[in-house]
C-alpha cells in the first residue's frame, strides 16, 4: 500500500510527495534539505518527521517552535490515517492513500483537484476558485424556511444524539437535494468519525477535514469533467460537493459533507447558505444535549451524596430497633414523636419516615421551634395577613400550608409556647386554622412529626407543656439512643466521616489508628453524632500522615473525679461526687445528666443543694 503527501495551499499548492517504503523516513520543514520543503516562515527548519513502522506511517513533531497539528489537534506523535490534514505553520498537507483513490501516479490530478482545491463556482469571474464563506455571513440567507422551522422544532425535542443527527441529515436531503450527506464529528482522539450518513457512505473525509481545519464553509464544483463520458451516478467520482463546519463551544465539533451527482446539477450559493444554517442549528442542539446530560449526571451525583449523608447508619441492637420502628411506622402515616438528646439523629429519622410515607412525593418542611419567638413562631407555622402586626406589610403563607400533602417536622417542639400549643392541637384534631389577622379557614393534609430533647412529662408537671397535646403527639414515639450506648457504631460512623471529609478536602486515603479507635469507644460523647462528626472533621483537617491519631480529635481529657480505692468516704459523699462527675461529662447539661442518672430535675436540684449545705 502506497501513500502520498499533497500540499493544499501556498505557492506550492498541488506539490505531491510519494512516500517510499525505503528508507521509510520523510522530513518536513522550511530548509531545503527536507524531503518536503514548505515555503512558510512559521515552519521550523526541520519541523516534523514521518516514519514507517510496519505498514503504517507515524508523524512526530521535531521540537518545532509553533507545533504540529493533525486535524486541528496539536500532536507530539501520532499514527496517520488516510485523509488526515497535517498543519505545519500555515501550510496544510494532506496524507492520502494512493490505491484507495484508484490511481498510483498522479495524486495531484485525481485527488487534489477533484476533492479539495480545484473547482469553479458558477458565476465566479476566475477560471477556477475555491469559495469560502464564514458562518456569520452565511446565516443571513435562508433558502427554505419551512424545512428549517421543522428542523428547529425537531432538533430541540430529541434527547438522543443519533436521532438528532438523523433529523439534520433529512433536512439537508430535503432542502438541497443532496445525493450523499455525511456528518463527521471530532472524536476524543481528535479524528473525524462518521456519526451518520445518507446515500453511499463516504470513506474519506477530506473535504470535511478541510472545513474543520479552516473553520469555513466550502463549496466546490468541477465543471472540467463535463463531457458526456464522465456523467455517472456515483457522487464520489464527481467534484460537486460542499462542506460546512458544525460549531462548538470552543472550536468546531465536526463538519457536514454533501455530494451531488452530475444529473442533478451543481450546488449553488443558496445551497451552501442553507447547509450552514442546518449545521449551526445542529451544533446548538448538540451543545444543549451535552449540557443536559451534564446536568443529569450532576443531579444524580448530588442525589447520591445527599442520600449517603441522610442515611441512618449503625449495626448495634439499639439502632436496629430504631430502624425496625421506622420500617413499620413510616408507611402508616401516624403522628410520631421522636425523643433523644441533641445530635442523636432525630432529623434523619424524620426524613426517613417522610421518604417511606404516602406523602413522600409531597414537600418536606422543617421548622425549628426554638429559633422563633412566641409571636413569630405562630406566624411561621400558620401565616399572617397584611396588617396582622407591626411590620406585616404583605401576606405570608405559613409552613403548614406549604407542607400540604407532605410532611412537616417540628423540631424542638418542647420550646413552643402554650398559646401556640393550643392552636397546634386544634390542627392535629382536624380543625381548620386561620392566618394571623385573617378569617379564612384553611384545611391541610399534612403528616406531622415532632421531636424534642426535653423531658415532656416533667414539663407537664411544671405546667409548661399541655398534657393533651403530648398524648396527641405521642401516637407513636421513637427514642434515639445515645452514641455512647451504641457500641462499635461510633467506629463505623467515624470511618464514614473520615472518607467523606478526606474526599471533600482532596486528601489521600485515611484510616483510623488503633489508638484513635480506642479513644472513640471510651469517650462519653455528650454531643453524640454531631460532636463525633465535628471531631472527625477537625482530625482530617489538622492531622498529618495516613492515619488519624487520637490527639487529632481534640477531645477533652477526662479528669479523675471518682474516689481512689484507698479513700474511705460516706455513701452520701460518693453519690454527690458521682453527680458532679456526670455533670462535668455532660458539660453542665442538667437534662442529660438527669437522664443518665435516672432521676428528675427536682431530685437533682435537691442533691446539689445538699452539697452546698
Amino acid at each position: 500500500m502506497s501513500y502520498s503527501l499533497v500540499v493544499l495551499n501556498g505557492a506550492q499548492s498541488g506539490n505531491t510527495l510519494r512516500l517510499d517504503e525505503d528508507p521509510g523516513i520523510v522530513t518536513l520543514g522550511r530548509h531545503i534539505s527536507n524531503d518536503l520543503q514548505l515555503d512558510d516562515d512559521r515552519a521550523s527548519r526541520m519541523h516534523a518527521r514521518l516514519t514507517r513502522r510496519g505498514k503504517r506511517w507515524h508523524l512526530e513533531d521535531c521540537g518545532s517552535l509553533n507545533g504540529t497539528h493533525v486535524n486541528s489537534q496539536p500532536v507530539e506523535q501520532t499514527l496517520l490515517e488516510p485523509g488526515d490534514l497535517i498543519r505545519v505553520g500555515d501550510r496544510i498537507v494532506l496524507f492520502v492513500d494512493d490505491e484507495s483513490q484508484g490511481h498510483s501516479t498522479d495524486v495531484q490530478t485525481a485527488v487534489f483537484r477533484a476533492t479539495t482545491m480545484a473547482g469553479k463556482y458558477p458565476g465566479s469571474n476566475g477560471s477556477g476558485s475555491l469559495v469560502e464563506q464564514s458562518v456569520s455571513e452565511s446565516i443571513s440567507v435562508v433558502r427554505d424556511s419551512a424545512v428549517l422551522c421543522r428542523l428547529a422544532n425537531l432538533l430541540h425535542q430529541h434527547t438522543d444524539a443519533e436521532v438528532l443527527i438523523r433529523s439534520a441529515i433529512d433536512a439537508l436531503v430535503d432542502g438541497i437535494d443532496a445525493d450523499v450527506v455525511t456528518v463527521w464529528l471530532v472524536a476524543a482522539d481528535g479524528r473525524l468519525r462518521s456519526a451518520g450518513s445518507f446515500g453511499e457512505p463516504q470513506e474519506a473525509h477530506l473535504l470535511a477535514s478541510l472545513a474543520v481545519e479552516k473553520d469555513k464553509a466550502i463549496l466546490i464544483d468541477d465543471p472540467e469533467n463535463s463531457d458526456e463520458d464522465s456523467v455517472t451516478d456515483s457522487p464520489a467520482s464527481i467534484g460537486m460537493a460542499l462542506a460546512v463546519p458544525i460549531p462548538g463551544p470552543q472550536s468546531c465539533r465536526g463538519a457536514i459533507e454533501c455530494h451531488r451527482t452530475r444529473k442533478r446539477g451543481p450546488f449553488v450559493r443558496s445551497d451552501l447558505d442553507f447547509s450552514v444554517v442546518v449545521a449551526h442549528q445542529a451544533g446548538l442542539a448538540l451543545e444543549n444535549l451535552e449540557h443536559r446530560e451534564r446536568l443529569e449526571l450532576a443531579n444524580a451525583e448530588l442525589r447520591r451524596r445527599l442520600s449517603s449523608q441522610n442515611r441512618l447508619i449503625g449495626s448495634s441492637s439499639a439502632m436496629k430497633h430504631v430502624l425496625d420502628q421506622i420500617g413499620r411506622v413510616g408507611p402508616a402515616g401516624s403522628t410520631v414523636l421522636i425523643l433523644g438528646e441533641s445530635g442523636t439523629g432525630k432529623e434523619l429519622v424524620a426524613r426517613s419516615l417522610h421518604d417511606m410515607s404516602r406523602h413522600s412525593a409531597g414537600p418536606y418542611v422543617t421548622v425549628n421551634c426554638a429559633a422563633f419567638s412566641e409571636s413569630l413562631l405562630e406566624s411561621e407555622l400558620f401565616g399572617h395577613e397584611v396588617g396582622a402586626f407591626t411590620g406585616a406589610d404583605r401576606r405570608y403563607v405559613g409552613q403548614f400550608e406549604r407542607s400540604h400533602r407532605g410532611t412537616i417536622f417540628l423540631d424542638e417542639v418542647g420550646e413552643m409556647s402554650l398559646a401556640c400549643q393550643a392552636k397546634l392541637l386544634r390542627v392535629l384534631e382536624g380543625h381548620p386554622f386561620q392566618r394571623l389577622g385573617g378569617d379564612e379557614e384553611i384545611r391541610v393534609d399534612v403528616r406531622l412529626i415532632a421531636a424534642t430533647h426535653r423531658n415532656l412529662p416533667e414539663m407537664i408537671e411544671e405546667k409548661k407543656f399541655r398534657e393533651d397535646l403530648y398524648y396527641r403527639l405521642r401516637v407513636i414515639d421513637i427514642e434515639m439512643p445515645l452514641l455512647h450506648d451504641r457500641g462499635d457504631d461510633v467506629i463505623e460512623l467515624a470511618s464514614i466521616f473520615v472518607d467523606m471529609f478526606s474526599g471533600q478536602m482532596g486528601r489521600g486515603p485515611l484510616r483510623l489508628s488503633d489508638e484513635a479507635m480506642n479513644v472513640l469507644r471510651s469517650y462519653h460523647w455528650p454531643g453524640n453524632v454531631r460532636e463525633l462528626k465535628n471531631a472527625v472533621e477537625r482530625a482530617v483537617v489538622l492531622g498529618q500522615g495516613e492515619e488519624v491519631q487520637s490527639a487529632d480529635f481534640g477531645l477533652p481529657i477526662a479528669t479523675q473525679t471518682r474516689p481512689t480505692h484507698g479513700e474511705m468516704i460516706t455513701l452520701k459523699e460518693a453519690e454527690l461526687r458521682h453527680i458532679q462527675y456526670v455533670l462535668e461529662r455532660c458539660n453542665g447539661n442538667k437534662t442529660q445528666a438527669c437522664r443518665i442518672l435516672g432521676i428528675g430535675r427536682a431530685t437533682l436540684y435537691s442533691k446539689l443543694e445538699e452539697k452546698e449545705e
Side-chain angles (χ1 to χ4, degrees):
M1 183 176 292
S2 60
Y3 299 90
S4 298
L5 296 177
V6 182
V7 182
L8 300 184
N9 60 350
Q12 297 174 315
S13 295
N15 280 4
T16 302
L17 175 67
R18 289 286 305 277
L19 302 180
D20 297 326
E21 297 184 9
D22 194 19
I25 297 178
V26 175
T27 59
L28 291 73
R30 189 179 72 251
H31 194 263
I32 192 173
S33 61
N34 290 284
D35 297 296
L36 182 60
Q37 183 185 8
L38 301 173
D39 59 334
D40 191 333
D41 293 337
R42 299 184 69 245
S44 299
R45 291 176 61 86
M46 189 172 76
H47 197 102
R49 175 171 52 239
L50 274 71
T51 306
R52 185 181 180 90
R53 300 174 187 170
K55 296 183 178 180
R56 308 296 297 274
W57 286 88
H58 293 252
L59 175 69
E60 178 185 2
D61 182 79
C62 297
S64 64
L65 180 63
N66 295 308
T68 304
H69 294 70
V70 174
N71 301 325
S72 301
Q73 304 298 317
V75 297
E76 293 292 334
Q77 186 173 0
T78 186
L79 176 67
L80 291 176
E81 295 180 0
D84 283 346
L85 291 176
I86 305 169
R87 177 155 58 85
V88 175
D90 290 328
R91 294 294 167 259
I92 300 175
V93 180
L94 171 67
F95 178 76
V96 64
D97 172 12
D98 298 342
E99 297 178 4
S100 65
Q101 299 296 327
H103 61 82
S104 57
T105 57
D106 195 357
V107 177
Q108 175 180 348
T109 302
V111 179
F112 170 71
R113 181 188 301 173
T115 61
T116 55
M117 296 291 290
K120 290 184 179 179
Y121 177 64
S124 62
N125 296 326
S127 59
S129 64
L130 168 72
V131 178
E132 297 178 352
Q133 181 71 16
S134 68
V135 173
S136 60
E137 295 172 345
S138 296
I139 293 178
S140 60
V141 180
V142 179
R143 177 180 181 274
D144 192 329
S145 59
V147 176
L148 291 176
C149 287
R150 184 169 67 251
L151 172 66
N153 290 330
L154 289 174
L155 286 180
H156 298 286
Q157 289 176 2
H158 295 315
T159 58
D160 181 79
E162 184 176 347
V163 180
L164 187 152
I165 290 171
R166 173 53 56 188
S167 298
I169 292 174
D170 291 342
L172 288 167
V173 173
D174 294 340
I176 63 174
D177 292 329
D179 294 294
V180 174
V181 178
T182 307
V183 176
W184 302 92
L185 295 180
V186 179
D189 59 358
R191 300 188 180 280
L192 290 178
R193 306 296 184 199
S194 175
S197 63
F198 170 82
E200 295 185 16
Q202 298 291 301
E203 295 181 358
H205 47 73
L206 309 182
L207 194 56
S209 297
L210 190 62
V212 171
E213 174 68 31
K214 300 177 74 64
D215 193 16
K216 291 183 180 293
I218 300 172
L219 174 63
I220 293 176
D221 177 35
D222 185 8
E224 295 181 11
N225 296 326
S226 59
D227 57 283
E228 294 299 327
D229 294 336
S230 66
V231 176
T232 175
D233 289 332
S234 175
S237 64
I238 303 298
M240 296 185 302
L242 60 84
V244 291
I246 303 175
Q250 283 83 33
S251 59
C252 287
R253 65 171 66 249
I256 300 177
E257 187 173 337
C258 301
H259 295 261
R260 186 185 283 178
T261 63
R262 176 72 57 189
K263 291 181 178 179
R264 289 185 181 272
F267 289 118
V268 295
R269 180 64 171 270
S270 58
D271 295 328
L272 182 70
D273 296 328
F274 182 89
S275 302
V276 167
V277 176
V278 172
H280 186 77
Q281 290 294 320
L284 290 177
L286 287 170
E287 183 176 350
N288 291 337
L289 182 58
E290 292 172 355
H291 182 63
R292 175 176 177 174
E293 290 175 349
R294 287 194 297 269
L295 289 177
E296 289 177 349
L297 290 174
N299 186 38
E301 176 64 16
L302 181 60
R303 287 180 179 274
R304 186 191 66 78
R305 291 183 180 180
L306 289 175
S307 175
S308 63
Q309 293 179 9
N310 293 334
R311 185 164 50 94
L312 286 166
I313 299 169
S315 55
S316 63
S317 58
M319 277 307 297
K320 287 181 179 178
H321 177 65
V322 171
L323 294 172
D324 180 65
Q325 283 184 293
I326 294 173
R328 289 184 285 114
V329 174
S334 304
T335 302
V336 180
L337 177 62
I338 307 172
L339 304 171
E341 295 299 329
S342 177
T344 52
K346 297 188 293 294
E347 188 168 355
L348 292 181
V349 173
R351 182 76 208 201
S352 299
L353 291 171
H354 168 73
D355 291 340
M356 297 182 66
S357 72
R358 64 181 178 87
H359 297 87
S360 59
Y364 174 76
V365 178
T366 299
V367 179
N368 187 348
C369 300
F372 298 92
S373 64
E374 178 180 347
S375 58
L376 289 179
L377 178 59
E378 187 173 353
S379 171
E380 179 71 15
L381 292 177
F382 305 108
H384 64 253
E385 298 289 351
V386 177
F389 50 84
T390 303
D393 56 353
R394 60 185 178 85
R395 170 186 285 185
Y396 179 75
V397 177
Q399 300 298 350
F400 265 98
E401 285 185 75
R402 297 178 190 275
S403 57
H404 179 54
R405 295 179 180 173
T407 301
I408 185 169
F409 173 52
L410 301 182
D411 196 10
E412 299 299 345
V413 70
E415 310 302 323
M416 188 179 291
S417 67
L418 290 173
C420 198
Q421 290 176 33
K423 196 165 185 178
L424 175 61
L425 179 62
R426 285 188 56 82
V427 174
L428 290 178
E429 290 176 344
H431 297 287
F433 64 90
Q434 299 171 340
R435 302 188 189 97
L436 291 178
D439 54 8
E440 178 188 357
E441 291 190 343
I442 302 170
R443 293 181 181 272
V444 292
D445 176 19
V446 173
R447 182 184 190 178
L448 187 139
I449 301 174
T452 183
H453 75 283
R454 302 285 295 272
N455 188 330
L456 294 185
E458 186 176 301
M459 292 182 65
I460 293 172
E461 292 180 8
E462 298 172 355
K463 306 300 182 183
K464 294 181 180 180
F465 200 84
R466 294 179 62 106
E467 186 175 9
D468 48 2
L469 177 60
Y470 170 68
Y471 290 116
R472 190 65 185 83
L473 291 174
R474 190 176 170 268
V475 176
I476 298 174
D477 61 333
I478 298 177
E479 187 161 359
M480 296 299 297
L482 299 173
L483 180 59
H484 184 66
D485 299 332
R486 291 173 55 180
D488 277 351
D489 282 359
V490 65
I491 305 300
E492 184 178 355
L493 286 164
S495 299
I496 291 174
F497 292 149
V498 166
D499 292 340
M500 181 179 72
F501 289 122
S502 60
Q504 290 177 0
M505 298 172 188
R507 294 195 59 178
L510 293 176
R511 61 180 179 273
L512 296 168
S513 66
D514 293 339
E515 180 187 4
M517 288 190 285
N518 291 333
V519 169
L520 292 176
R521 290 189 184 97
S522 61
Y523 185 63
H524 191 70
W525 299 110
N528 295 290
V529 180
R530 184 179 293 116
E531 183 185 7
L532 171 64
K533 184 176 181 180
N534 293 338
V536 171
E537 182 177 7
R538 181 187 188 279
V540 173
V541 173
L542 300 180
Q544 298 178 348
E546 298 180 354
E547 283 191 342
V548 176
Q549 304 299 328
S550 59
D552 298 334
F553 294 121
L555 298 175
I557 301 176
T559 57
Q560 184 69 28
T561 57
R562 291 174 292 183
T564 61
H565 292 292
E567 188 177 1
M568 303 293 290
I569 60 174
T570 64
L571 181 60
K572 182 177 180 179
E573 179 65 20
E575 181 184 56
L576 289 174
R577 289 190 181 186
H578 181 64
I579 291 174
Q580 188 64 36
Y581 168 75
V582 172
L583 281 172
E584 288 178 1
R585 296 301 300 271
C586 295
N587 296 324
N589 188 323
K590 293 182 175 61
T591 301
Q592 186 174 354
C594 288
R595 183 181 296 277
I596 295 172
L597 294 169
I599 60 177
R601 292 176 71 91
T603 303
L604 176 64
Y605 287 127
S606 176
K607 297 290 184 182
L608 294 175
E609 288 173 1
E610 291 178 5
K611 177 184 177 182
E612 293 175 358
E613 293 175 357

